[in-house]
Amino acid sequence: MLDVTVIEDSAAAAASLDPVRARLLAELAGGPASATMLAARVGLPRQKVNYHLRALEAHGLVELAGERRKGNVTERLMQATAASYVISPLALAAVQPDPGRFRDQLSARWLLAVAARLVRDVGTLITGAAKARKRLATYALDGEVRFASAADRAAFVEELTRGVSALIAKYHDAGAEGGREHRIVVALHPTVKEPAPGQRSAPESAPESAPAIEQAP
């Protein structure tokens, strides 16, 4: 079972978003189970659970983990193919976000478009690397910073932009034979705190435009 996988097919995305099937995926992410076992957990007839399992299996979201005999019946033990799933913008190819349509580093919607492209591209790369049985060279940095003021945040963004731009200028070699281009995405947005029971999720502070820096040498 993979830690996370990206769903690129629209039909598979629709199957995963069905409430019953999403519940079954969550149950099977915890370990293999039969339709009978799942029926007791989700409160549905075994036949209906089997129907949903077949649909999930057809889209590669669950797979056979083994079989076991129970009386005169052979039960199929199914498991999720991943512990969690991310739906790629490719599942909505005709309306997927395109950061190239506009470029506003202070726009939260442009940041969202860049993030959507990141999910799409990395998902495609993971699929290709898996087929080629090769490792995918990636890197991610995740952290939090608490600014004392909006002025400090603006200064941080300016310094970050200078630093990243300097690194790109230092290491970018447009004429390198056999070189491979990499995309660099740096984003900054307010932290979303986990809501207390009964409360809606909300940013720590009032919504503001969030700077984003994107470079593609």
Side-chain angles (χ1 to χ4, degrees), residues 144-147 189-194 200-208:
E144 291 190 26
V145 56
R146 187 178 184 91
F147 297 112
H189 62 80
T191 300
V192 177
K193 297 297 185 181
E194 288 297 325
R200 295 178 59 186
S201 176
E204 184 183 48
S205 56
E208 298 180 64

Side-chain angles (χ1 to χ4, degrees), residues 98-178:
D98 179 10
R101 292 175 186 162
F102 65 100
R103 184 187 180 92
D104 180 357
Q105 290 180 300
L106 298 180
S107 167
R109 286 178 172 79
W110 186 71
L111 172 58
L112 188 62
V114 171
R117 184 182 60 191
L118 179 65
V119 171
R120 181 198 68 192
D121 290 352
V122 175
T124 299
L125 290 168
I126 287 174
T127 300
K131 289 180 179 178
R133 296 184 178 181
K134 292 183 178 180
R135 294 188 62 185
L136 181 61
T138 61
Y139 169 77
L141 176 65
D142 181 32
E144 291 190 26
V145 56
R146 187 178 184 91
F147 297 112
S149 66
D152 282 354
R153 186 183 63 182
F156 175 87
V157 170
E158 183 179 352
E159 188 173 343
L160 180 65
T161 302
R162 288 199 306 267
V164 172
S165 298
L167 281 172
I168 291 172
K170 178 179 180 180
Y171 289 99
H172 177 54
D173 187 345
E177 186 175 350

